[in-house]
Amino acid sequence: MAEILPIGTILAVAINQVIKTAHAAKDVVIEKESFRTLSAHLFDIVSVLKQLELGELNESPITRKALENLETDVKKANALVEKYKNRGRFYLLIKCRHIVKEVQDVTRDIGKSLNSLCLANAEILSGISDEVTRLQNEMQRAEFATCQSQIRILDKLDQGLASQKLDNGFANDIIVDIARAVGVTVEPSEIRKELDSFKREKEEAENRKERAEVYLLEQIIELLSRADAAQDYEHVKGQYMQRLRVIEGHDPKSESIPPFKAFICGITNNVMVDPVSLSNGTAYSRVAIEAWFGSGEKTDPITGEPLEDLSFRSNIQLRQSIQEWKELNYCMIIRSCKSKLMSRNDSSVEDAVYQIRDLIKESSINKDWISIGGLTVLLIDILPNLHNQQVKTEVLVTLKYAVEGHARNKDLLVENKGFCHIVPCLVHESTPSKAALELIYEIAVEESAQNVDYTRELSQQCNPVPFLVTILKGTETELSEKAHKILKELVDIDEENAVISAKEEWYEPLVDCIVQGPKSTKMAILRRIVHLELEEHNTKDLCELGLIPPLLEMASADLEAKELSLSMLIKLSTVSENKRVFSAAGGVPLIVDTMCSTPFPVVIPAKCLEILEKLSSNGDGITFLVDVNETQLNLESLVENLLAFLQNSLLPCTVLRPVLRSLFNICESESRLVKTAVLTAGGISLVLNLLDHADSETREAAINLLFLFSNHEPLGVAEFLLKPRRLEAFIGLLENTNKSDVQKAAVGLLANLPKSEVILTSKLIELEGLKAIIEILESGNTEAKENALSALFRFTDPTNIEAQKMVVELGAYNLLVDFLKNGSVTAKARAAALIGDLSMRSSELTMTSSTGHWCLCFGRARVNICQAHGGICSVKNTFCLLEAKALPELVKLLHGEVHATAYEAIQTLSTLVDKESPRKGTNVLHESGAVVPILEVLNWGSESLKVEALEVLEKVFMLTEMVDRYGSTARMGLVRLTGRSIHEEGHLHRKAAKVLLLIERHSRSSTSFVTGVSG
């Protein structure tokens, strides 16, 4: 007695069987919708069975029987799935009606078994009763139907078999329809593979003794085997050679053999297509005779004989004869085209390519025959020698016709190095470019098992990537999309093509390789691209494509990955947009930590430092020195870490340069950090030592940083420069006209050093440092000139007459006047102050004497006496600003109402007026129109500027005539400054009151405006 399995075990087995079948059903390639529906129902059943498993399943015989029936039906479904899962696609299409019926039946059977099981266990399933009822009803009433496109193909096939349409043309049509319906490419290798599978199905049917099935399959195999794509190449070649021998007797210049009269349809007067014979034996084209009878005629169209029997049948023998005649004509045309192509004459070649295309359209067998006849190779060979762009285009189009869906012709093109002739035709904006692209696309992209081989040959024979990238960037969307697909195929078979694309400024495949590729690919790509020259827009493109995050990830990997990724990050960290992405991705803490880590070779911190330099460059300073949460890093600690590198004198310049530049960028943007650098970390002494470095760029970076530090604390710099040979090297920096920023920093550093260092001043004159400064005034950039003007104060100190003479002798005075005219505000102010320094010594340098003395020395000669200094003046000897033509420019500065320039201008003009004998200088100011703008300063100037103006006015109004001329104008402004009381506190008020009292004292018609002063 057989052991009775527990019902729980049967249920568990059933659940596993249902799940297995549900998954398998999704993989059947034909009638997918039917099998997917079955799969979905089975997955729903699993839910029901698991609900039963959770409850106490009824052990009744009804439940057991229902469960066993369900298991049996599911096994049938599984057998059905297995039966059709791996069958040939052509066979599955032929059987699709039957398959649909089988799926429908098994679905309904499972639904019935499920219904019985659920009825026996209704209480357990009460919670999901609605869902169970829906599922049972859907499965028991399931109706599946074959899709209409497949039905149309089967109907067409049935009609062809019934009417014995076994010709090549019908076979070609039906095989294309079938192949497309089941997703098979119309290439001989694929078609023959499907037919072989079909033949195996016939053999199995024979073994099962299914005669009807065998007969049907034999008919279909016989029909499909007549298609060109299904024929054996050797057979096709033999057929061509046989036809070729027949036409050898015909005139070589002839392109056709006239048709026999029997081939002509009596209705259309054209060669018959699909000939059929009437009951009386006459033959016509099928379509023509159907139309004849359809119009109501019941006679023979030629003889007029009445026909009792209007039936007709296919005339297979006549059809074959017509086909043979056509094939002979094909051979005639192929022979003629060969001669035309070999002539290389544009007109003949163009005629030939049109004929070849007509042949291919007429019959697909001609794709083989034109190649067997040598036309494909000829078309390839003549391409580079064609100068007519239109003809070249037509040749490319014809080649596409020849290789379309034809693996043998693609092989032939590749074997004959066809890509070497096709790729140059892709050149931008040429007429053949589109045709060449379409041809390459057909070979490399259109579905084929050999596409990878063709694409590899394309890459190796004549790499088209540069041309394709140009097309990709073009305006024609369709061409751009095809170029993109070809490029993708090229990159897939060889990562080197991603690098070539990058060189052409198309970075998408390169970034994809780095983001998604395995480590080996990433490393190989980075090794190649790390040396690419990238413009700013290139780096933006790479960043937008998402390159920075994977590079940061690699920067945390092994040593080589670190070095390569950091090198690439240096290139990307040049523009603000990329820096923002870098910092947002948490890159800054990573490179700072890596930079300070000791185990790495020096190249790693060097690259980290270079990234830090880039991040802080271009005025960005500390903006991007943040963590992933945008919290500012500890900048004091960062500055100290950077200065720590400078303590090691053995570090290479690849480390020192970015350290110095990073420090400069950071401290320049955050001045409080200079204190940290100078006072806490001893920055000046560390940087000073680098002025002796052998590397010029390191010295230059050091001088830039030293200039920045010296703005706050120049202590120790002068002593360093006075050491042997160091000042000579420093002057060399002043003379470096190729590096404007170095000049600016060097001369700026000099300007910041104390003027009391007289030894330094003397040494600079001795070593031609002064000359270098004046040359900067002539040819430096704006900032360098401004710093040079500041540095010049060291040499214009009024107590050092010899230094002043050197300044003037070297031509500085004229330059200073030019700055008054054309300089920046800062330059104008400094130039005015320098002229003031020189002018302070003019009076004592001026030669003075009595009139008699002049007469003794010069007789009656007329001598020009300086109006300001009362003697003979010159620029060179007395530094006279009148002789230098500076006076008008100084007055203009007063009219500009700019505090900085007006202040220095007033101070300089003040040097013309001697307090003890103010008349000459005052008259000069009056005649030059300076007094009025000085008075106007009292209305708009700052307090310090007004004080300077009052200093001058105090000397001016010592003269009664000046009071008469300007007193009334001055009174109102002075009264406003004193607040109508001369007793108010404050320097400005006291100065204003003093000048006002002068005016009152010297006024010839005094009416007091001053409160508290009686007349």
Side-chain angles (χ1 to χ4, degrees), residues 377 380-381 411-421 461:
V377 173
I380 297 166
D381 289 345
D411 289 342
L412 195 61
L413 184 145
V414 172
E415 289 165 8
N416 284 274
K417 305 299 179 185
F419 288 131
C420 295
H421 300 327
Q461 284 187 22

Side-chain angles (χ1 to χ4, degrees), residues 414-455:
V414 172
E415 289 165 8
N416 284 274
K417 305 299 179 185
F419 288 131
C420 295
H421 300 327
I422 297 166
V423 170
C425 299
L426 289 171
V427 64
H428 186 48
E429 293 183 349
S430 69
T431 306
S433 177
K434 179 179 180 180
L437 181 72
E438 298 277 3
L439 176 54
I440 292 172
Y441 185 85
E442 171 62 35
I443 298 169
V445 178
E446 289 293 353
E447 291 184 13
S448 167
Q450 293 177 273
N451 274 358
V452 172
D453 295 331
Y454 297 144
T455 307

Side-chain angles (χ1 to χ4, degrees), residues 252-253 332-345 348-349 352 373 375 378:
K253 295 181 181 179
M332 296 278 281
I333 295 170
I334 290 170
R335 183 176 66 178
S336 174
C337 286
K338 188 172 185 177
S339 299
K340 292 175 183 178
L341 294 176
M342 292 176 70
S343 74
R344 308 292 172 96
N345 174 273
S348 297
V349 170
L375 300 189
L378 268 175

Side-chain angles (χ1 to χ4, degrees), residues 166-282:
L166 302 177
D167 60 289
N168 172 262
F170 180 74
N172 284 334
D173 288 343
I174 196 69
I175 208 163
V176 168
D177 290 342
I178 293 172
R180 286 176 179 168
V182 297
V184 172
T185 56
V186 188
E187 288 194 3
S189 59
E190 295 296 318
I191 298 300
R192 285 198 294 273
K193 190 188 299 180
E194 287 297 326
L195 282 178
D196 287 344
S197 173
F198 217 96
K199 290 172 183 176
R200 287 194 295 274
E201 295 291 348
K202 189 201 78 168
E203 291 170 0
E204 290 178 11
E206 286 176 339
N207 293 335
R208 295 192 301 269
K209 301 189 183 303
E210 297 175 355
R211 293 183 180 180
E213 176 88 344
V214 171
Y215 178 69
L216 174 63
L217 296 179
E218 281 178 343
Q219 283 186 299
I220 295 171
I221 290 168
E222 182 183 0
L223 170 62
L224 298 183
S225 296
R226 293 178 180 272
D228 296 332
Q231 294 186 26
D232 178 72
Y233 180 70
E234 291 303 320
H235 171 75
V236 172
K237 185 176 180 180
Q239 189 179 3
Y240 172 78
M241 301 308 294
Q242 182 185 12
R243 300 286 186 262
L244 194 61
R245 284 191 291 272
V246 173
I247 66 165
E248 284 177 353
H250 291 266
D251 183 357
K253 295 181 181 179
S254 175
E255 293 186 354
S256 65
I257 300 170
F260 293 113
K261 186 177 180 180
F263 294 172
I264 306 298
C265 174
I267 300 173
T268 64
N269 288 321
N270 293 320
V271 174
M272 281 184 264
V273 177
D274 193 8
V276 294
S277 295
L278 303 184
S279 58
N280 64 358
T282 54

Side-chain angles (χ1 to χ4, degrees), residues 858-927:
F858 299 101
R860 296 181 180 276
R862 187 176 183 84
V863 178
N864 290 325
I865 304 301
C866 178
Q867 294 178 354
H869 303 117
I872 300 173
C873 277
S874 68
V875 174
K876 184 175 180 181
N877 293 324
T878 66
F879 318 147
C880 179
L881 66 83
L882 273 68
E883 290 296 319
K885 305 295 188 295
L887 183 57
E889 304 306 326
L890 290 166
V891 175
K892 286 179 184 177
L893 295 184
L894 295 176
H895 288 291
E897 295 191 3
V898 176
H899 177 275
T901 53
Y903 184 91
E904 300 298 347
I906 288 174
Q907 282 205 328
T908 299
L909 290 171
S910 180
T911 64
L912 296 174
V913 185
D914 184 2
K915 194 168 186 179
E916 300 302 322
S917 53
R919 184 169 299 281
K920 293 188 189 72
T922 298
N923 285 333
V924 168
L925 294 182
H926 162 65
E927 290 173 5

Side-chain angles (χ1 to χ4, degrees), residues 278-279 293 297-299 307-312:
L278 303 184
S279 58
F293 290 153
E297 296 290 345
K298 296 184 179 180
T299 60
L307 297 171
E308 293 181 6
D309 182 0
L310 299 182
S311 65
F312 49 81

Side-chain angles (χ1 to χ4, degrees), residues 168 172 186-189 192 226-241 330-331 334 356 359-361 363-377 401-412:
N168 172 262
N172 284 334
V186 188
E187 288 194 3
S189 59
R192 285 198 294 273
R226 293 178 180 272
D228 296 332
Q231 294 186 26
D232 178 72
Y233 180 70
E234 291 303 320
H235 171 75
V236 172
K237 185 176 180 180
Q239 189 179 3
Y240 172 78
M241 301 308 294
Y330 297 159
C331 291
I334 290 170
I356 293 169
L359 284 173
I360 292 171
K361 290 175 186 176
S363 173
S364 59
I365 197 173
N366 285 323
K367 287 189 178 184
D368 281 314
W369 282 16
I370 62 168
S371 295
I372 295 167
L375 300 189
T376 304
V377 173
Y401 271 74
V403 302
E404 206 164 21
H406 201 282
R408 279 195 296 272
N409 283 354
K410 290 180 181 180
D411 289 342
L412 195 61

